Amino acid sequence: MHSFSAKFWSVRPKNELQALPCIQKTRHIVVNCLSRKQASKTKTNVERQTANYKATLWNYDFVQSLKNNPIDQVLKDKAEKLEEDVRSTITDEKAELLTTLELIDDIQRLGLGYKFEDEIRRALVRCVSWLNNSEGTEKSLHATALSFRLLRQHGYEASQDMFKSFMDHPESWLGEDVKGMLSLYEASYFGFEGESLLDEARAFTRIHLSHRKGDVSKSLREQVCHALELPVNHRMLRLEARWYIGAYAKRSYANKALLEDAKLDFNMVQSTLQSDLKEMSRWWIGLSLANKLTFTRDRLMECFFWTVGMVFEPQYSNLRKGLTKVTSFITVIDDVYDVYGTLDELELFTDAVERWDIKAVETLPDYMKICFLALYNTINDMVYDTLKEHEEYSLPYLTKAWSDMFKAFLQEKKWSQNKETPTFKDYLENGWISVSGVVILVHTYFLMSQNITKQGLESLENYHNLLR
């Protein structure tokens, strides 16, 4: 493989993967801060806190040294040819449905699902017809569980009742059908609240899979251990693809064209992600927040990695970069409120963001000035891009989301400083905003949507329950 061995397998050493910081013992320092009425003029001694956050492990020079060599046109042409071969296999209606379903599962876990969405959808329509045949559902636990999982994963209706006969008579499959048990175990994680049959299936299969790990082939044992560690729908897609390519390559019956396509695609996507990361690293260094606000967490890499978990597909570079900026600001601002700022300063900061007026910066202490201006300029740039590309003015929706999050941060600061314990109801009502999901999802709508609708905007403005 052209670049697979050099790029695909390059990983960070284990001792450098501890990227998420542990908050050490808080210490206090005395610095000059600014009073509420004349923040830029009057200085008083105030005791500050610091969380002693560790410096980032991913320094600028290291990130910029990443070799994201673009895939040449010859390899791109080869990948397209391989994709055509895979596409024809998915759409082969003469193939056994179970064979097609297993192919779809392999495609998705290899990280290729985004390339074959239409073909997968058509194949699943066939699957719905198959499930409506009562004889078909009883042929195989593996086929039934796999079809159930794939259908629910893609938003189709599938009833838990299809497993009733299996759970009523486990002796018919418990002895030797480890593959069926594994499929049922994975499918059980797609259950809805109150679906007790799936809860029972998950507990039952987990126990028996744990006892049977030593009685199966090496390949199946590896899959069982992987699933028991963490089910597939709880895994990050890019990391799952990284693992699954290696596991799939060990199988004697592996589809060679599919495997080669997966390796090529992984390297092409990896190149795009590395390019995005390097661009974000340059943006972050240019912003200089980490240097100016040394009491905050410098976590650009972690924020970018989070966006890859949300959307890894190469066509969503703008979304990843936009959300990296958003989550980096959230991390810094969270530390301003939780660790460093006084209540008076934070009230000024919250008011400035609610007003979204450049003149408000005059009332802020120096360390808040740079933070406010960086946020103000970045969000306004995003608003301009949305207006330019979609002819939609997004500023009122974005500033409302940010303002509400600042207010929620401020409320938590008041509770902490006043040593006040809120009621559970009050805590939840404030918490669903302070966890920052609303800010992220509102930005996502404008960064990702090709068709911004009036209904969508109203849902953002009124905080639809999906945002809660």
Short mmCIF file of all heavy atoms in Angstrom, two decimals, residues 146 192 197 226 306 329 333:
data_model
loop_
_atom_site.label_atom_id
_atom_site.label_comp_id
_atom_site.label_asym_id
_atom_site.label_seq_id
_atom_site.Cartn_x
_atom_site.Cartn_y
_atom_site.Cartn_z
N LEU A 146 -28.49 -8.54 13.30
CA LEU A 146 -27.76 -7.61 12.44
C LEU A 146 -28.72 -6.71 11.68
O LEU A 146 -28.50 -5.50 11.57
CB LEU A 146 -26.88 -8.39 11.47
CG LEU A 146 -26.04 -7.55 10.50
CD1 LEU A 146 -25.13 -6.58 11.24
CD2 LEU A 146 -25.22 -8.45 9.58
N PHE A 192 -34.74 1.27 22.95
CA PHE A 192 -35.30 2.48 23.52
C PHE A 192 -35.61 2.25 24.99
O PHE A 192 -35.68 1.11 25.47
CB PHE A 192 -36.58 2.89 22.78
CG PHE A 192 -36.36 3.21 21.32
CD1 PHE A 192 -37.14 2.60 20.34
CD2 PHE A 192 -35.40 4.11 20.93
CE1 PHE A 192 -36.94 2.89 19.00
CE2 PHE A 192 -35.18 4.41 19.59
CZ PHE A 192 -35.96 3.79 18.62
N LEU A 197 -37.16 -6.30 26.83
CA LEU A 197 -36.64 -7.50 26.17
C LEU A 197 -35.19 -7.30 25.74
O LEU A 197 -34.35 -8.19 25.87
CB LEU A 197 -37.51 -7.86 24.97
CG LEU A 197 -37.20 -9.19 24.27
CD1 LEU A 197 -37.43 -10.35 25.23
CD2 LEU A 197 -38.07 -9.36 23.03
N HIS A 226 -13.56 -6.94 21.96
CA HIS A 226 -13.73 -5.55 21.54
C HIS A 226 -15.13 -5.05 21.89
O HIS A 226 -15.29 -3.94 22.41
CB HIS A 226 -13.49 -5.46 20.03
CG HIS A 226 -13.41 -4.07 19.50
ND1 HIS A 226 -12.39 -3.20 19.81
CD2 HIS A 226 -14.24 -3.38 18.66
CE1 HIS A 226 -12.58 -2.04 19.19
NE2 HIS A 226 -13.69 -2.13 18.49
N TRP A 306 -12.44 16.28 19.39
CA TRP A 306 -13.87 16.15 19.67
C TRP A 306 -14.69 16.36 18.41
O TRP A 306 -15.66 15.63 18.16
CB TRP A 306 -14.27 17.15 20.75
CG TRP A 306 -15.71 17.10 21.11
CD1 TRP A 306 -16.31 16.30 22.05
CD2 TRP A 306 -16.77 17.88 20.53
NE1 TRP A 306 -17.66 16.53 22.08
CE2 TRP A 306 -17.97 17.50 21.17
CE3 TRP A 306 -16.81 18.86 19.54
CZ2 TRP A 306 -19.19 18.07 20.84
CZ3 TRP A 306 -18.02 19.42 19.21
CH2 TRP A 306 -19.20 19.03 19.85
N PHE A 329 -13.12 28.37 22.69
CA PHE A 329 -13.59 29.53 23.45
C PHE A 329 -14.37 29.08 24.69
O PHE A 329 -14.22 29.67 25.77
CB PHE A 329 -14.48 30.42 22.58
CG PHE A 329 -13.73 31.45 21.79
CD1 PHE A 329 -13.66 31.38 20.41
CD2 PHE A 329 -13.07 32.49 22.42
CE1 PHE A 329 -12.96 32.31 19.67
CE2 PHE A 329 -12.36 33.44 21.69
CZ PHE A 329 -12.30 33.35 20.31
N ILE A 333 -13.45 30.29 28.43
CA ILE A 333 -14.44 31.08 29.17
C ILE A 333 -14.90 30.34 30.41
O ILE A 333 -15.14 30.95 31.46
CB ILE A 333 -15.62 31.44 28.24
CG1 ILE A 333 -15.14 32.41 27.15
CG2 ILE A 333 -16.77 32.05 29.03
CD1 ILE A 333 -16.07 32.53 25.98
#
